[in-house]
Amino acid sequence: MTGSLTYIRRSLWILVLAGAGCTDKSDPAGVVQSDEELVEIFISDPSTYADTHTGSDSEKNIKEMDLLIFKGDKFQYHREAYRSESSYMSTLKVEQGLTLYFIVNSRSVLQSSDQLIERKSWENDIRPSLILNDPAGLLASDSLPMWGIRENVNIVAGQINQFFDIFLLRAVASVDVFNSEDPATFSLQEAYIYFAPDKGYLAPSPTNYSISEKGVSEPESPADMQNLASSLKVNDVEDKKLLYQLYLYENDAPTNTVGQKRYSRFVIGGSFEGGATTYYPVDLLDDDNATILQATRNYKYVINIASVSSEGYPDPDTAAQADDSRLEVEIIDWNLKDENKLVFDGPFFISVESKYIYMYDRAGSTRSVSFTTNIAIDDLTMEFIDSGNGTQVDGTYSIANDRFKVEFVFNEQNKIKALLVTALGDYDPNTQSRNLQDLKIYSKRVVMQIILEQIHKDPTEWIDGGEKDIDLGGE
């Protein structure tokens, strides 16, 4: 019966894709070739740049997806993919040893390239031709340009070829502004990007991108990148935050010297002690305020306004050229590659090593995972989401029920460094729900949910002739 369902599903998709058409540099459009098979693509849902208060998924929005198919470093052909519930469908030729590039929300960039020619090189010809050049449009767009890769792909005949957990890397950096100062002292009103890059690469260089690390080692701008002469502005503010993020292409400029490529600066507009709007320059600096953090793709930067001591400059242009900022800020930066392990709201965040914590099947089994937050310990709450494993008992920085105990572990500076989970009973082979527990750790709108599970494995026994040490791992 399963085979029949698969066949029916495959037949239906051939009809759909034939009607929609395929884009191939050599094959006629609108025809599904007999040497092709269906592919189904599942995207790893990327962590959003946006704060939870925006209620928007625009930064995850996939409006269009294209596939570039390579053999080695040589271009073969191009396909469009089409949405199907929770996945994307296309057809590819039956072949082994392919590399697939996923181009998202950037079809116009592909259409403007003159390098999508068979046997052209990705690194030398095609990637350098895929240039994003609408910096102002980023601030108004309901989707962002993204890119992904899957190597060593084999398209097998007679089946739907499925690709899971395709990771997409955003081609832009995000900057958010949060006001932690007393609103009576300073009221945030608007923010600007100055010296934004006028263009950026859609895809990173292979020498700069690590598949295992899901990120780039450093930013990279096209050689002819110029800084915009005009600024980009966001003036929608809600609850001491920007309602929309500031987006910009990567900027690898190392200096801020007039007449050369410059790193991007930010100007904050607001009212000091109820006065007229004045303006304050901000640079993205590291923790020592010594090194510029260059805008890097898929990074989020939060400018947290800690204190304001006086009025700023009379206009944004003057502030953009000034050295004295007249306000104190904290710069927080994240690489959003760990999409399932980080939650944040404004400048406040919780990061955990894994959202799935497994323990062996004996009572007393423990597992420790790293835990990082900038939220004060007394503002954090731990809570079991359901009571199926008994009544929750609160301890000093810990909670427990009949099955599990969860406690914070602190470092020498009395900051949380880990979560320690202990199984309080043996694995229950008769009631699987007894071996599971949903945990929530939160502070206001920063909510991290974690799944605890006791599994039927024992490190003291040889299991099925296998190895004694069993890696419970994380994700």
Side-chain angles (χ1 to χ4, degrees):
M1 185 64 181
T2 302
S4 299
L5 289 174
T6 301
Y7 175 78
I8 292 171
R9 184 184 184 195
R10 180 172 179 268
S11 299
L12 288 173
W13 267 108
I14 288 176
L15 291 173
V16 170
L17 292 171
C22 298
T23 56
D24 189 319
K25 289 296 180 181
S26 58
D27 294 334
V31 179
V32 177
Q33 303 299 313
S34 60
D35 62 343
E36 298 188 2
E37 289 295 345
L38 283 169
V39 296
E40 186 171 18
I41 302 159
F42 295 87
I43 300 300
S44 175
D45 194 20
S47 178
T48 178
Y49 282 138
D51 290 336
T52 55
H53 78 281
T54 64
S56 172
D57 288 329
S58 63
E59 294 172 343
K60 301 181 182 181
N61 188 21
I62 297 177
K63 298 177 65 176
E64 54 193 22
M65 180 185 295
D66 293 82
L67 307 180
L68 300 183
I69 294 84
F70 283 73
K71 185 81 169 181
D73 190 44
K74 303 302 180 183
F75 176 66
Q76 304 298 308
Y77 57 97
H78 163 222
R79 286 286 188 265
E80 295 179 4
Y82 301 90
R83 185 67 181 260
S84 169
E85 297 180 354
S86 61
S87 63
Y88 296 82
M89 305 293 295
S90 189
T91 65
L92 298 181
K93 297 177 182 180
V94 175
E95 197 170 2
Q96 295 186 338
L98 301 175
T99 297
L100 307 184
Y101 292 102
F102 301 85
I103 308 298
V104 174
N105 301 330
S106 303
R107 186 164 294 161
S108 62
V109 177
L110 292 180
Q111 293 170 344
S112 65
S113 172
D114 60 358
Q115 295 297 310
L116 292 184
I117 301 172
E118 190 173 355
R119 302 198 62 75
K120 284 281 190 176
S121 163
W122 167 254
E123 175 59 9
N124 297 325
D125 303 311
I126 296 178
R127 187 190 77 90
S129 75
L130 303 181
I131 300 296
L132 303 163
N133 57 9
D134 185 16
L138 290 173
L139 274 62
S141 177
D142 61 353
S143 61
L144 296 176
M146 294 182 274
W147 168 92
I149 182 175
R150 178 60 58 90
E151 296 180 313
N152 302 316
V153 171
N154 298 325
I155 306 302
V156 180
Q159 67 181 50
I160 297 177
N161 296 261
Q162 294 179 312
F163 307 122
F164 295 95
D165 296 327
I166 300 299
F167 177 79
L168 296 178
L169 192 74
R170 293 183 189 87
V172 299
S174 166
V175 177
D176 195 10
V177 181
F178 186 89
N179 181 26
S180 294
E181 176 63 282
D182 185 339
T185 300
F186 182 77
S187 173
L188 174 65
Q189 295 174 343
E190 55 196 34
Y192 299 77
I193 307 175
Y194 275 79
F195 318 125
D198 67 343
K199 60 176 64 73
Y201 286 118
L202 170 60
S205 167
T207 59
N208 194 31
Y209 177 72
S210 168
I211 293 178
S212 61
E213 293 297 321
K214 297 181 180 178
V216 296
S217 55
E218 59 187 6
E220 177 191 20
S221 300
D224 61 346
M225 182 272 281
Q226 300 293 318
N227 298 111
L228 291 182
S230 58
S231 61
L232 303 176
K233 176 182 178 181
V234 170
N235 60 1
D236 294 304
V237 178
E238 177 184 275
D239 191 24
K240 304 200 302 182
K241 311 173 187 180
L242 292 181
L243 189 55
Y244 301 101
Q245 317 293 291
L246 297 164
Y247 301 114
L248 68 161
Y249 302 131
E250 288 187 301
N251 189 347
D252 61 4
T255 69
N256 200 28
T257 304
V258 176
Q260 301 181 20
K261 284 201 308 187
R262 307 175 69 169
Y263 59 74
S264 302
R265 302 192 84 192
F266 303 87
V267 171
I268 308 301
S271 170
F272 178 72
E273 294 184 346
T277 301
T278 55
Y279 299 89
Y280 305 80
V282 174
D283 292 320
L284 299 181
L285 295 170
D286 64 8
D287 292 340
D288 297 326
N289 291 326
T291 304
I292 290 289
L293 300 173
Q294 296 170 311
T296 303
R297 67 179 60 220
N298 214 50
Y299 267 72
K300 175 181 175 68
Y301 304 90
V302 175
I303 299 173
N304 181 33
I305 302 170
S307 65
V308 183
S309 58
S310 66
E311 291 185 346
Y313 295 90
D315 61 80
D317 291 347
T318 300
Q321 303 294 342
D323 293 327
D324 180 14
S325 68
R326 301 183 183 178
L327 52 71
E328 181 180 345
V329 299
E330 174 191 20
I331 306 298
I332 305 168
D333 65 303
W334 295 296
N335 183 347
L336 294 181
K337 65 180 183 178
D338 295 323
E339 64 275 4
N340 293 320
K341 305 174 186 178
L342 172 71
V343 293
F344 51 82
D345 182 68
F348 304 107
F349 71 92
I350 296 174
S351 177
V352 65
E353 178 185 345
S354 174
K355 288 178 65 176
Y356 303 90
I357 302 178
Y358 303 104
M359 283 146 288
Y360 290 111
D361 61 2
R362 299 294 178 87
S365 172
T366 63
R367 176 87 191 279
S368 176
V369 296
S370 62
F371 183 97
T372 307
T373 183
N374 62 351
I375 300 171
I377 178 62
D378 292 332
D379 292 333
L380 283 173
T381 299
M382 279 198 295
E383 182 179 292
F384 292 130
I385 295 178
D386 58 77
S387 58
N389 283 323
T391 303
Q392 175 177 312
V393 178
D394 296 331
T396 303
Y397 306 130
S398 69
I399 59 172
N401 57 21
D402 294 345
R403 298 289 299 175
F404 298 97
K405 180 180 180 180
V406 183
E407 54 193 311
F408 288 128
V409 179
F410 296 87
N411 62 18
E412 294 177 354
Q413 289 74 41
N414 204 34
K415 293 185 177 181
I416 304 171
K417 69 175 184 179
L419 279 181
L420 178 63
V421 183
T422 303
L424 300 181
D426 289 342
Y427 175 85
D428 188 338
N430 300 315
T431 309
Q432 180 59 26
S433 62
R434 296 276 288 164
N435 304 309
L436 293 167
Q437 181 65 62
D438 290 338
L439 169 69
K440 180 170 71 173
I441 302 175
Y442 64 94
S443 176
K444 298 181 180 178
R445 290 183 296 203
V446 184
V447 182
M448 174 66 76
Q449 292 190 216
I450 299 169
I451 297 175
L452 314 178
E453 181 175 0
Q454 195 173 14
I455 62 175
H456 193 30
K457 291 183 178 180
D458 185 344
T460 65
E461 299 175 354
W462 293 90
I463 300 178
D464 296 330
E467 297 293 329
K468 181 179 292 188
D469 293 329
I470 302 167
D471 183 12
L472 290 179
E475 293 185 319

